[in-house]
Each structure stands twice: as C-alpha cells, then as structure tokens.
Amino acid sequence: MDNTSLKPYLLELNEIQRKAVTTIDGPVLVVAGPGSGKTRVLTYRIAHIIQKGTAPWEILSLTFTNKAAREMKERIAKVVGDRANKVWAGTFHSVFAKILRVEAEKIGYPSNFTIYDTDDSKSLLSNIIREMNLDKNTYNVNAVRSRISSAKSNLIPPKAYKENKELREQDRMAKRPYIADIYGKYMARCKKAGAMDFDDLLYQLYVLLYKNPDNVLEKYQQRFKYILVDEFQDTNHLQYQIVRKLTNYTNSPRNICVVGDDAQSIYAFRGATIENILDFEKDYKPHGIQVFKLEQNYRSTEHIVQAANEVITFNKNQIQKKIWSDKGTGHKIRVIKAMTDNEEGKRVADSIIEQKSRYHLSNKDIAILYRTNSQSRVFEEYLRRHNIIYRVFGGLSFYQRKEIKDLIAYFRLAVNLKDEEALRRIINYPKRAIGKSTVDKVAALANQTGVTMWDALGQIKLSARATKAINGFRVMIDGFYKKAQTGNAYEVASFIAKKSGLIDVLKQDNTIEGMGRLENVNGLLDGIKEFVENDEVLDDETINDKSLGSYIQNIALLTDQDNEENDGDHVTLMSVHAAKGLEFKSVFVVGLEEQLFPSFMSMDSMEGLDEERRLFYVAITRAEQFLTLTYANSRYRFGNMRYNSPSRFLDEIELKHVESSQAIRRSTPASGRSGSGTSARSSVKGNFRSPQKETKLFADPATFKPSPSEQIAEGMEVLHLKFGKGKVLTVDGSPKNRVATIHFEQIDMPKRRLMLKFAKLQIL
C-alpha cells in the first residue's frame, strides 16, 4: 500500500496494525499481545469504519469498563470529530441495560427497572432463606448466590434447573436440596420488585432476543452493522451467545471483530472462559475469518518481553505467537530472596528508595503486585516507615459507602415503588418508629397476597402508632415519586436529600468521620448536577433523558476501575487481577512461592496451573523498564508459620535475563512442566528451587483404584495417592467442573481444593 495515499491516522500504525484496522468486512480476530497497541487498533478501526461511510450509531463496541469506552470515544473523536459520541460504546452490562430499558416490557419488566447490586441480591436471598426456615449456615448466602449466578451464565432457568437431575443431585450431596426452590423464588421476587441483578442484564437480554426474534432481535441485528468486542478472552458463555445471536442472521456478512489475548485470560473465577477466544477462529471459519496477530510490544524492554515469552510457552492450550520489542535490552530482571515476609517487605521498600534515587522515578511510576490482597499489610508497614506515599487499590468504592447507599435507596424507591430492597433499607432510616417486626409483618402480607411491599403498606392493619408512622412514610415517598415524574435528576435528588431527613441526621454528627459522610453526600449531589448538565449522545439522536431513573441506572453500572482515581504521586499496591490493563515503569511482583503464587487452590489441575501462569504473565508484562521478583522462605499464613519453596514460575525464566543474585543457584532441572519442549529447555536452565525429594505415596499405584468422580460427595472419607486419607468438606462448581475442598490429615497445608474430574480419589 502506498503510504502517500493513506489517511493520517493510518500512518501511525505498523503494517499488521494497519491491516487489522482496514480489514473491516467479515469476521476478524485480532490477537493482541501485551503493550501491542490494542486500544489504538480498536479505536482507529471504528474511526475507519465511520470514514468509509457507516453511520456511527450502526456500530456496537463492547468493553469491560465504562472508562475504556470513554477513552475509546475520545480517541475516535480525534479522527472523526463529534460523530464519535454517537457510537454505541460501553460495557456489556451498560449497553444491554439501555436496550432492556427500551424493550423490557416485552418480557414483563418495567422500563424503569431497578438494578440490584451484590448487597441487594444477598439481602433478598437472606430473606428468602429465612422465610423458608432453612439453616443460614448450610444455605450460605454467598454459595447460594454463586450457584444461581452460574445457572444464569449457563442459560439454565429455574424450571430447567429443577428438572436437571445432575444439578439436583449435586445440591443434595452438598446438603442444599432446596437451591432450585430458592432460585425460583428469587427470580419471581426480582420480577415482582421490577428489579434485575447484574447477571439478569445479560440473562434477560438473551431471553428478550430469544423470545422476540422478529420485532427485537432482527431490529438490533439490522441496527448494528459492525460489532466489536474488546478483551474477548474475558467473556463468559452467555456474553458470547448474545454476540453470536446479534451477528447470526440471513445474508449477514457477520462483521464482527474481537480483540484479545488468550495469554491474559485470568478471570475464570468470574465465569470467563478461555475457550471463547481459542474456539472463535473455528466458529467463524465458514464465514471467511481473518486473523491478525499484534506481536510487537511497545511497552517493555527486551529482557522483560523475552521472559514473558518463555513463561507462557509452558501452557499447552494457547494461540501461538512470539512477542518482541525494539526498545532495547534494558535492565535485567532482579530476583530478591528473603528469609521472612517481613524481610521481603523491608527489601522491597529499600529497593523503591534506591530506584527513586538512582533512576529518578516518581512514586506513581512504581507498583507492587501480589496474588492476594492480604499480602499488602507488610509492604504498607515498611512504606510508612520510609515515608513513601502509597495507595492500596481495591478498597471500599464511593458508591458502596453507607450514606451513599442510603440516599440512593431513597432515589430508587422514588423511581420504582416496587423496589423491595430499597424500601427495606430506608423505611426506618432516619428512625420513624417502624421497627423490624412491623416490616416483617408487611413482608409476610405481601407474600401471602402476591402484592408488592409498597402496596402491602396501604393494606396492613397495625396499631395506631405504627399506622401513623407508616402513613407518614407513604405520604413522603408518594411525594418523591410525583416529583420524580416531572423534575430532572438534580432537582429531585436535592429535594429527596432534604425532605427525607437524611442530611439533617448527618449534620448532627460533628466528628471528622461524620463531616466526611456529609461531604460524600454533597459530592453525590454534585455528580448528579454534572450528569444533568452534560449531554449524553448515544446513537443518531441526543438522549435528553436526565431523569433520576436514568441517573440511577448510570451509576449502578459503574465498574471497579471506573470508581478508581489515579490522581497524586503514590506507589500503587494492588492484586495482579486488578493490575490488568495498567503499566508502570517499575513493577515488583511479590510472594512468588509455591502454594501462594501459584495458589494452592489451583495446583491440582492443569487448567488451574495454566491460569495461574497466565496471571504471572500479566504481572510481569505490566513492567516497562524495571521488573523485580521477590519471594520469602517463610511467612505467616492463617496464623501459622509456613516454610516455602520458590515458585515454579521463577524456574521458567532463562538465567540470561536475570541479574546475578544469591537467589539464583543451579540445581536439578525443574520437572512437571505442562508446556511443549520442557525437557530440552529445563536441562540448560538454572533452577531457583532446591532439588526435589522423592514424592512419598500413601498407597500402591498398582492396586490403587480411583472411584468415579461423580460419586464423590461432601462428608466422605477418601484416599489420594500423594496426600493420603482425607475428609471431603464441601463440593461446589459447575457440573462439568466440580471442585472438592478436602482436609488431608497426613500432610502440611492439609486443606486442598481438587478438580474432581482430574483428581484420582478412592472412596473409603
């Protein structure tokens, strides 16, 4: 292609990026390695589609954070101007919620449906479990919620769940035989309350498309002529099925482009399935799919990039690619061996001071990444001792603070009188003499008569005092409801904040914390004013919906990353999961020990270890110039001192990329690799671990007879070749991937989680 004829934005791209941007027709898979310019390709592709004559509102771009969608629109705007604002760009949940808001009445929901957050869902489930007189410990609300979430993600409605013998048998073995009934009641109560939880925004959209193939599905198939999906490796089964529905229609060119990196698939615990990206090429091969691999890394120096390449080759199932960098060899990777976790914390803090002094790094250039959030404590202590400013990410977000949730509950009820969880939260806050027993009576009447709790408030017969209090509450909320029908979000919100009495209560607390809570409420109102004053452009028309209901849905769909603020010069402390998508000049990956990273919960299945290795790959590719890997020989875990072996992942890095250090010693080659070419590579490598002792077996392999995995149930005594005798504490997971938590009495770290289809266990 003659560069003189190219659009200016295309000149900013390398050859393979340019092909990925300009190949706009038909299915396209862009395999984007770390730091390879993925976002630039995605945004310029959208700009190029618009430049070629497609209307921006005919383009759907799905991301995993609203922040990513905003940044995408800003970049597109630099090429095509204000038209960028008309692209349908947002998270799966936010885009699907907007479609549902228009179409929800077709599946029996109001257009102003409430979106239940995690706390709302757990509260409703707790109420159902209590009403059914079930033991709250056996029917742990988190376990029940997880089970229901898994069912929705696999497109299993309550009726099908109840008829599924395998699922019911799993519940019976877990001593939770009434999960199906809870699931059915939960869905019915959500619908009666005019509410959807986060899973429903996907599940109910699929239901909507499935039940309305002509008047809804075809409408959006025709509207979205081009569909793009970012971070495709993080999608779950349900998200992929929705995308396939939207692209699967008669004579469709299937203009779908997915961008992702299988080597950065690290969210299996949230339901993400790596098979989506691994199988995408096969799924769309009949439609002429084209694959582009972005292999040049613009972020990191050569030592870091080559170390990442070496590590990921040990995974079996992957899309083959070779990441490379032309940013020079750079600094070698430093490995720190500490005797204790306290020493690890001290040496990391000392290294940060050294890097800041020698290389003039700012605090904001540096990150400490760990496998679990509980590891942050020791690093915080030593950073404080050295007066190094830091920030721990993953704390309580603004919208999860009590005073904010209280006021938003008033907003929700003012918009949707059916919202049971909002009503329960604020019916007696501020206190108005409506106690728990009264609320329970109202809930019981609502359940008996099949009406909403709001309607039950007007029907129930109570004492004169309780009746007066409830009537006062109803008059107040009715006033809020009428105000919400006519006023914009800020007018209504300010009115509610004052008339509800909530601000008066907060003003009575003169402590620093109390004043902070009042500032938070004022901050929320400021945000609502900004929402009202800014125009949101969604498709071919400006959306003038500045109602309180629109605002509530907007904030309900914010992701964790959208809530984080990166202002200020501070060292960043966060989990590796939270660091995905970020980059820093200097990165410390800490706690690299067997049982910690890789996690002990993942070490008994190939899939689990592969995901841990991908997580390590993500960690080291966050670094631009300096990468430091640390481990401790001993640390306190769960109240006990544990002695640790260095992580197997350290073995997988060639010594030529590592600084000379006492942490490195040559010994026997590492064994048990899961990737290709392991024996040849291991024989020429250094090894961070001591020679391994011969594994002690607790039974004769010749006579050991594993029992069928589907027979393993909670409470059973079992035998494992390497771990000995154990008792099954719990069994959970999906039908195809059941996981048992087992206590083995004869080994260190006795509590293990085993994937049953891979674990060989004999029932005793």
Side-chain angles (χ1 to χ4, degrees):
M1 188 180 289
D2 181 8
N3 285 355
T4 59
S5 64
L6 294 178
K7 300 282 187 182
Y9 60 90
L10 294 177
L11 293 172
E12 299 177 30
L13 306 171
N14 65 35
E15 184 179 354
I16 195 69
Q17 288 175 331
R18 194 178 303 131
K19 287 180 179 177
V21 165
T22 56
T23 307
I24 62 174
D25 294 325
V28 170
L29 168 62
V30 179
V31 182
S36 61
K38 168 180 72 73
T39 305
R40 175 177 289 186
V41 167
L42 199 57
T43 53
Y44 282 6
R45 182 182 171 86
I46 295 171
H48 192 69
I49 292 170
I50 295 172
Q51 292 281 58
K52 286 289 184 179
T54 299
W57 54 87
E58 295 177 330
I59 301 171
L60 171 62
S61 178
L62 297 167
T63 66
F64 276 84
T65 68
N66 289 304
K67 179 182 176 184
R70 285 195 302 270
E71 290 176 352
M72 194 178 295
K73 284 187 176 182
E74 289 169 4
R75 291 195 186 195
I76 298 168
K78 291 178 180 177
V79 179
V80 302
D82 290 342
R83 286 182 294 169
N85 290 324
K86 297 182 180 182
V87 173
W88 277 63
T91 65
F92 282 88
H93 292 87
S94 64
V95 170
F96 294 173
K98 284 170 182 172
I99 294 174
L100 283 166
R101 200 167 182 202
V102 175
E103 313 286 354
E105 291 179 354
K106 293 182 176 67
I107 53 172
Y109 283 83
S111 61
N112 62 343
F113 61 87
T114 298
I115 299 174
Y116 276 178
D117 66 12
T118 302
D119 288 345
D120 296 320
S121 298
K122 287 164 71 171
S123 174
L124 177 54
L125 284 169
S126 295
N127 289 331
I128 292 170
I129 290 166
R130 187 178 67 250
E131 290 163 8
M132 292 176 66
N133 294 315
L134 299 173
D135 180 66
K136 66 179 181 180
N137 295 318
T138 302
Y139 287 86
N140 176 277
V141 71
N142 288 321
V144 173
R145 183 171 170 271
S146 176
R147 191 75 168 158
I148 292 173
S149 176
S150 177
K152 290 181 186 176
S153 294
N154 287 288
L155 291 171
I156 303 172
K159 184 180 178 183
Y161 189 107
K162 203 162 192 172
E163 294 170 353
N164 188 304
K165 292 182 179 179
E166 187 177 1
L167 291 174
R168 297 302 301 273
E169 180 61 15
Q170 288 175 11
D171 291 340
R172 188 191 66 78
M173 290 164 66
K175 299 181 180 177
R176 291 192 281 259
Y178 295 105
I179 291 280
D181 300 287
I182 296 171
Y183 182 16
K185 289 178 181 291
Y186 175 76
M187 293 293 280
R189 290 276 280 275
C190 281
K191 194 162 190 176
K192 188 172 79 168
M196 297 187 196
D197 63 21
F198 286 130
D199 292 320
D200 282 329
L201 296 176
L202 307 179
Y203 177 77
Q204 297 295 356
L205 183 81
Y206 184 89
V207 170
L208 172 72
L209 299 177
Y210 178 79
K211 289 187 174 181
N212 299 272
D214 298 326
N215 60 340
V216 178
L217 176 59
E218 188 174 345
K219 169 183 173 182
Y220 290 98
Q221 285 174 335
Q222 297 293 341
R223 171 180 283 251
F224 300 131
K225 291 183 169 54
Y226 289 88
I227 296 178
L228 301 93
V229 185
D230 191 13
E231 303 287 5
F232 188 66
Q233 76 281 347
D234 293 337
T235 55
N236 63 25
H237 172 72
L238 179 52
Q239 288 165 325
Y240 188 26
Q241 291 308 310
I242 292 171
V243 168
R244 291 191 72 173
K245 267 199 171 299
L246 290 172
T247 59
N248 185 23
Y249 59 100
T250 308
N251 299 322
S252 162
R254 288 174 173 79
N255 294 329
I256 177 172
C257 173
V258 302
V259 183
D261 182 6
D262 58 296
Q264 298 185 65
S265 177
I266 59 173
Y267 292 120
F269 67 95
R270 291 183 185 171
T273 171
I274 191 173
E275 283 76 17
N276 285 353
I277 192 167
L278 294 178
D279 295 342
F280 185 81
E281 186 175 357
K282 179 181 68 178
D283 292 345
Y284 281 86
K285 192 171 184 178
H287 309 291
I289 186 171
Q290 298 190 65
V291 180
F292 302 98
K293 296 180 182 179
L294 309 184
E295 297 176 306
Q296 182 175 358
N297 181 301
Y298 291 93
R299 175 188 300 152
S300 309
T301 52
E302 195 173 330
H303 280 306
I304 296 169
V305 168
Q306 293 307 321
N309 278 336
E310 289 161 8
V311 167
I312 205 63
T313 60
F314 286 82
N315 274 11
K316 271 190 176 178
N317 295 322
Q318 59 177 298
I319 300 170
Q320 294 300 322
K321 55 189 173 297
K322 189 73 173 177
I323 309 303
W324 59 278
S325 170
D326 64 359
K327 297 193 70 171
T329 54
H331 299 271
K332 286 190 173 185
I333 298 165
R334 186 179 182 193
V335 178
I336 295 177
K337 169 189 173 183
M339 297 305 295
T340 66
D341 51 348
N342 266 316
E343 184 190 340
E344 182 186 33
K346 181 180 185 302
R347 294 189 64 183
V348 166
D350 289 343
S351 297
I352 288 173
I353 291 173
E354 178 188 353
Q355 287 186 352
K356 289 177 64 177
S357 174
R358 181 181 294 186
Y359 303 109
H360 309 292
L361 298 185
S362 301
N363 288 329
K364 65 184 178 183
D365 297 326
I366 302 168
I368 300 173
L369 307 182
Y370 32 73
R371 180 63 182 82
T372 64
N373 286 312
S374 61
Q375 290 171 254
S376 72
R377 178 194 57 80
V378 68
F379 301 103
E380 291 186 66
E381 287 182 9
Y382 282 98
L383 292 175
R384 279 199 298 267
R385 290 183 191 183
H386 290 293
N387 293 318
I388 298 172
I389 300 170
Y390 68 90
R391 182 176 175 194
V392 180
F393 283 71
L396 194 65
S397 75
F398 179 81
Y399 294 101
Q400 292 301 312
R401 292 168 181 162
K402 180 184 181 300
E403 62 275 14
I404 300 302
K405 287 181 75 73
D406 288 337
L407 185 51
I408 289 175
Y410 272 102
F411 298 165
R412 283 169 42 180
L413 193 59
V415 169
N416 175 15
L417 296 175
K418 296 178 180 179
D419 191 335
E420 178 181 325
E421 292 307 309
L423 188 148
R424 284 177 179 272
R425 185 178 187 100
I426 51 91
I427 192 170
N428 198 39
Y429 182 77
K431 290 189 180 301
R432 49 178 66 91
I434 304 175
K436 183 178 180 300
S437 62
T438 299
V439 176
D440 288 343
K441 289 175 184 176
V442 172
L445 177 63
N447 290 334
Q448 289 164 11
T449 58
V451 300
T452 65
M453 282 187 68
W454 174 258
D455 291 333
L457 285 176
Q459 300 172 10
I460 196 164
K461 305 300 181 185
L462 297 166
S463 67
R465 182 170 179 267
T467 299
K468 182 179 179 182
I470 282 179
N471 286 342
F473 175 72
R474 291 186 77 240
V475 168
M476 178 182 69
I477 297 299
D478 192 53
F480 295 166
Y481 178 77
K482 290 174 181 174
K483 183 82 173 175
Q485 305 305 303
T486 56
N488 66 43
Y490 180 68
E491 294 167 349
V492 181
S494 301
F495 180 78
I496 291 173
K498 294 171 185 172
K499 298 297 183 181
S500 65
L502 194 144
I503 285 183
D504 290 337
V505 169
L506 294 176
K507 283 181 176 178
Q508 293 170 13
D509 185 350
N510 293 319
T511 65
I512 293 175
E513 293 81 6
M515 289 186 284
R517 285 189 280 271
L518 186 59
E519 287 176 6
N520 288 336
V521 166
N522 286 326
L524 177 67
L525 295 174
D526 290 341
I528 297 173
K529 188 171 187 180
E530 183 180 355
F531 167 81
V532 168
E533 292 178 352
N534 287 342
D535 283 330
E536 178 192 7
V537 181
L538 184 60
D539 47 25
D540 53 333
E541 296 180 358
T542 301
I543 301 299
N544 292 313
D545 186 356
K546 298 302 177 182
S547 67
L548 189 60
S550 178
Y551 173 78
I552 292 169
Q553 288 206 352
N554 185 59
I555 61 168
L557 293 162
L558 289 174
T559 65
D560 293 341
Q561 286 191 31
D562 297 317
N563 296 333
E564 300 290 10
E565 297 173 1
N566 291 299
D567 304 347
D569 185 30
H570 51 254
V571 173
T572 296
L573 278 70
M574 59 171 41
S575 71
V576 182
H577 281 103
K580 186 164 172 290
L582 304 179
E583 55 188 43
F584 304 89
K585 288 182 180 177
S586 174
V587 170
F588 292 79
V589 186
V590 300
L592 281 164
E593 299 134 31
E594 291 290 286
Q595 310 285 340
L596 182 55
F597 200 176
S599 164
F600 74 92
M601 296 177 69
S602 68
M603 294 180 66
D604 292 295
S605 75
M606 191 69 73
E607 288 87 349
L609 274 174
D610 280 1
E611 175 133 342
E612 288 290 299
R613 188 174 284 106
R614 293 194 294 268
L615 191 60
F616 182 57
Y617 177 87
V618 166
I620 62 182
T621 54
R622 300 310 94 198
E624 298 174 5
Q625 299 174 20
F626 304 93
L627 176 62
T628 307
L629 310 175
T630 77
Y631 66 95
N633 283 342
S634 63
R635 72 173 63 241
Y636 275 98
R637 295 198 72 200
F638 311 114
N640 297 311
M641 177 65 77
R642 299 289 184 189
Y643 296 92
N644 318 299
S645 299
S647 170
R648 68 190 66 200
F649 300 150
L650 291 168
D651 292 333
E652 297 169 0
I653 300 173
E654 298 281 358
L655 286 180
K656 65 184 179 183
H657 302 304
V658 182
E659 282 184 10
S660 177
S661 166
Q662 289 184 347
I664 306 170
R665 59 178 179 273
R666 292 188 178 276
S667 61
T668 57
S671 60
R673 297 294 191 242
S674 61
S676 59
T678 57
S679 58
R681 293 191 51 195
S682 296
S683 64
V684 297
K685 291 189 58 182
N687 191 299
F688 288 86
R689 288 185 281 175
S690 302
Q692 300 296 300
K693 296 179 181 178
E694 185 176 344
T695 303
K696 176 186 176 183
L697 299 179
F698 288 90
D700 183 352
T703 58
F704 179 75
K705 294 183 179 180
S707 304
S709 63
E710 62 271 15
Q711 293 181 9
I712 306 297
E714 189 175 310
M716 286 183 171
E717 299 285 339
V718 294
L719 178 65
H720 187 280
L721 274 175
K722 289 197 298 182
F723 304 145
K725 293 181 181 179
K727 183 174 182 179
V728 181
L729 303 179
T730 61
V731 177
D732 53 40
S734 64
K736 292 183 180 179
N737 295 297
R738 299 173 67 225
V739 178
T741 302
I742 305 174
H743 185 275
F744 293 100
E745 53 197 38
Q746 295 161 283
I747 60 170
D748 293 332
M749 295 289 290
K751 195 173 180 181
R752 301 293 181 107
R753 280 176 60 79
L754 307 183
M755 184 79 75
L756 288 178
K757 68 180 179 182
F758 299 112
K760 292 179 171 59
L761 297 168
Q762 181 180 328
I763 299 172
L764 299 178

